[in-house]
Amino acid sequence: MYDVIIVGGGVAGAASAALLARQGLRTLVCDRTRLPAPAVSTHFFGPSVLGFLDRLGVLGEVLATGAPPLRRWHLEIGGGYYGGPMLPRTAYPYNLCVRRETLSAILLRSAARDGAEIRERCSVRSLEWDGDTVIGVAGDGWREKAHVVVGADGRGSLVSRQVKAAATFDAGVLRCTFHAYWRDVAPLPAPALELWHEGEYLLQVGPCDGDQWVVMLSAPAQNFRELRGTGKQGEDGGAYERTLLAIPSMAARLRTAARTSPVYGSGQLRNCHRHPAGPGWRLAGDAYCHKDPLFGAGIADSFQTAQALADTLPPAVAGDIDSTTAERAYASALDDRVGQRLREGLDGLRIDPPEPGQLAWIRGTLAHPALALEMAQHCSELFAGLPPDRREFWQQVADRTAEVLGLPPAARVGAETADPPGAGVRA
Ligand SMILES: Cc1cc2nc3c(=O)[nH]c(=O)nc-3n(C[C@H](O)[C@H](O)[C@H](O)COP(=O)(O)OP(=O)(O)OC[C@H]3O[C@@H](n4cnc5c(N)ncnc54)[C@H](O)[C@@H]3O)c2cc1C
C-alpha cells in the first residue's frame, strides 16, 4: 500500500514525486514509456521554475547540462529588433532552455534519492474503486493500492477520463505550433530568449543543452493543415522551413544550420482546465490545465501543481485534515495559481498582424532601446489626456511592452497611490 501513486513521470509527475517523497510519503511513479521521456516542447523556463529547482537543490545539476543561461531578450518585429538585458527583478534574472528528457531525468533522480519508487514501461489501464473513492490503479496483470492517485498523465489523461473530471473552462484551440531541433544556428553575440513576430506568425528560438537549438513556429489554428504539408505530422518540414526562410533575418541565421530532428506539429493545443480533485484522486500538470505553448508556462504550472500537492496531501494522508477539506484546498490553490492565469492570459494569443502605421511605430521604437524603455514605462502617462477607452488601450500597450521587454511595470495613469515609474518589482 502506497501513500500516493503518480501516473506519469513527466515534469509534473517527477516534481510531485520529488516533493512528496521528501516529506516521507511512500510514493510510486508509473509511466508507460521508458524514462526520462522526451516531450514536444520549446523547453523555455524562467525565474519561478529556477527558484523551484533551487529550493529542491537541483539547480546546479540543471545548469551543468550546458544549456546557456539566457540573460538577454532579443525581439524581432517586422524587420526591426530590440536586444536588451533581462532586468534583475528576481534572484534568477535569466531563462533556460533545457530539453524535457534532461530536466525530467534530474527530477526523477531527486525523487528516487528521497525514496520514491519509479516504474517505467508500466501502463496504467484503469483505476481501482471502493464506492466513489479511488483506491489504486491497475495495469496488465498488476494492481497497486494507495491513499491517493495523482493523474500526472498529460493532456490526454486517462485518470481524468476515468474519474469523469468536469471541464471547468474551455476556450478551445487558438493556435498551432511546429518545431524542430537544429545545430549550428548562427548565434547572437550573447545567448538570448528570442521572440520573433512576423505577420500572424510568432517564432521562438533558443539554444538548449546538447548543443542543439530549438526553433518554434506558432500560427493561427486554421493554418495547421497548410503548414503540416504532406507529412503526417509535418515531418517533411517543407512548409515550416519555407516559412522560416521567407524571413530574411531568420534565413541569415539558418544559412549554416542543419535540422537534426523531424518537424513536430501540434494542432490540438486546447486552452482548458478541469476540476482537479475528488475522493482519492488529484490531477496535476497538463492533466489539470492544458494551454497554448505561447504562454511558456507549462513547466511553471506543472511545478505549481506539484507544490500544491506537497502543501495539501501530507496532512490529508496523515489524517490531520479531512479529505473534503484537502480536496477543496488543492482545487482552490490550483485555480489561484494556474487556472486564473490561463483565463486572463488568453487575449495575448489573439495576435493580429500590426497595421502599417503601427509597424512603423514599432520599428522606430525597437531601433532605439532607450526609447523603448521610455515608451514601456511612460506611454500610458503620455496619453493621459485621451478618452478613457483609448487611455486603457495605451495602458495595455505599455503593460505588454514592459512585460515582453522584461522591464519594471508601466506607470498607471490616474492611480492615486501610484509608485514612481520603475519603483515596482514584479514577482
Ligand atoms: C509545442 C509545445 C511547446 C511547449 N513549450 C513550452 C515552453 O517553452 N515552456 C513551458 O513551460 N512549457 C511548454 N510547453 C508545455 C509543457 O511541455 C507541458 O505543460 C508539460 O510537458 C506538461 O508536463 P506533464 O508532466 O503534465 O505532462 P507530460 O509531459 O505529457 O507527461 C505525461 C506522462 O504521463 C505518461 N502517461 C500518460 N498516460 C499514461 C498511462 N495511462 N500510464 C502511465 N503513464 C502514462 C506519459 O508517458 C508521459 O510521460 C509546450 C508544449 C508544447 C506542445
Side-chain angles (χ1 to χ4, degrees):
M1 173 92 177
Y2 292 90
D3 291 320
V4 55
I5 294 175
I6 299 173
V7 185
V11 273
S16 303
L19 292 181
L20 294 171
R22 188 163 292 184
Q23 294 200 49
L25 265 57
R26 248 196 109 207
T27 303
L28 169 67
V29 178
C30 307
D31 199 294
R32 63 184 172 195
T33 61
R34 191 154 170 239
L35 293 173
V40 173
S41 174
T42 333
H43 310 306
F44 287 110
F45 54 83
S48 71
V49 168
L50 294 163
F52 179 94
L53 295 169
D54 204 7
R55 289 191 295 282
L56 196 60
V58 298
L59 182 57
E61 237 180 300
V62 174
L63 289 168
T65 60
L70 311 174
R71 297 185 181 278
R72 293 177 64 82
W73 292 102
H74 181 89
L75 179 69
E76 296 226 3
I77 303 183
Y81 76 91
Y82 167 87
M86 292 186 184
L87 297 187
R89 292 178 285 138
T90 71
Y92 313 94
Y94 57 96
N95 274 240
L96 287 177
C97 181
V98 178
R99 285 173 302 169
R100 199 58 51 75
E101 57 269 44
T102 312
L103 183 62
S104 295
I106 291 170
L107 293 167
L108 287 167
R109 275 201 297 274
S110 169
R113 276 196 297 272
D114 282 315
E117 191 182 326
I118 318 282
R119 287 190 203 163
E120 50 188 353
R121 291 178 167 154
C122 175
S123 262
V124 170
R125 304 273 183 219
S126 61
L127 301 178
E128 301 274 287
W129 296 84
D130 179 8
D132 65 353
T133 301
V134 174
I135 54 164
V137 299
D140 293 335
W142 63 275
R143 62 193 64 232
E144 295 288 359
K145 291 197 166 170
H147 288 293
V148 178
V149 172
V150 175
D153 46 350
R155 64 178 161 165
S157 173
L158 169 133
V159 175
S160 76
R161 287 199 309 276
Q162 295 211 346
V163 298
K164 298 189 170 60
T168 41
F169 179 78
D170 191 348
V173 179
L174 299 175
R175 298 187 68 83
C176 62
T177 61
F178 291 83
H179 84 269
Y181 296 99
W182 298 71
R183 65 176 157 73
D184 299 330
V185 173
L188 295 173
L193 175 51
E194 299 186 39
L195 302 170
W196 302 51
H197 182 165
E198 186 69 27
E200 56 194 353
Y201 300 121
L202 276 176
L203 282 67
Q204 286 184 333
V205 180
C208 46
D209 58 305
D211 284 331
Q212 301 285 311
W213 289 70
V214 63
V215 182
M216 183 192 84
L217 172 70
S218 164
Q222 62 269 25
N223 297 18
F224 183 66
R225 276 169 186 269
E226 178 197 330
L227 283 168
R228 190 176 62 176
T230 52
K232 210 167 129 210
Q233 280 291 310
E235 291 91 343
D236 66 356
Y240 161 85
E241 285 190 2
R242 274 195 303 282
T243 309
L244 298 185
L245 296 176
I247 304 167
S249 48
M250 178 61 77
R253 299 284 300 286
L254 296 180
R255 193 166 299 133
T256 53
R259 184 155 61 81
T260 58
S261 77
V263 176
Y264 302 102
S266 307
Q268 284 305 316
L269 301 167
R270 287 201 100 69
N271 295 281
C272 58
H273 55 69
R274 308 173 164 118
H275 186 64
W281 62 270
R282 302 287 187 274
L283 299 177
D286 278 7
Y288 159 61
C289 175
H290 186 268
K291 65 198 76 67
D292 194 283
L294 282 191
F295 276 94
I299 303 167
D301 287 352
S302 292
F303 288 178
Q304 289 285 4
T305 59
Q307 188 60 57
L309 280 173
D311 294 342
T312 57
L313 263 194
V317 169
D320 294 340
I321 55 171
D322 70 84
S323 52
T324 311
T325 308
E327 285 162 29
R328 285 203 188 119
Y330 183 67
S332 142
L334 260 51
D335 196 61
D336 287 353
R337 298 178 201 175
V338 178
Q340 196 177 343
R341 187 162 65 167
L342 167 68
R343 298 191 297 272
E344 290 177 355
L346 282 170
D347 275 353
L349 301 183
R350 301 202 173 90
I351 292 150
D352 297 321
E355 288 167 12
Q358 282 175 313
L359 198 55
W361 175 80
I362 291 167
R363 276 204 193 110
T365 310
L366 295 185
H368 301 281
L371 176 62
L373 195 138
E374 280 297 306
M375 291 298 282
Q377 286 175 16
H378 300 290
C379 85
S380 49
E381 283 178 334
L382 297 177
F383 295 98
L386 292 173
D389 59 328
R390 300 307 296 154
R391 214 166 57 208
E392 181 52 32
F393 170 79
W394 283 108
Q395 183 76 57
Q396 282 170 12
V397 171
D399 288 344
R400 183 77 188 121
T401 313
E403 195 182 324
V404 169
L405 301 184
L407 300 169
R412 215 136 267 285
V413 175
E416 284 175 13
T417 55
D419 287 332
V425 176
R426 230 187 285 256

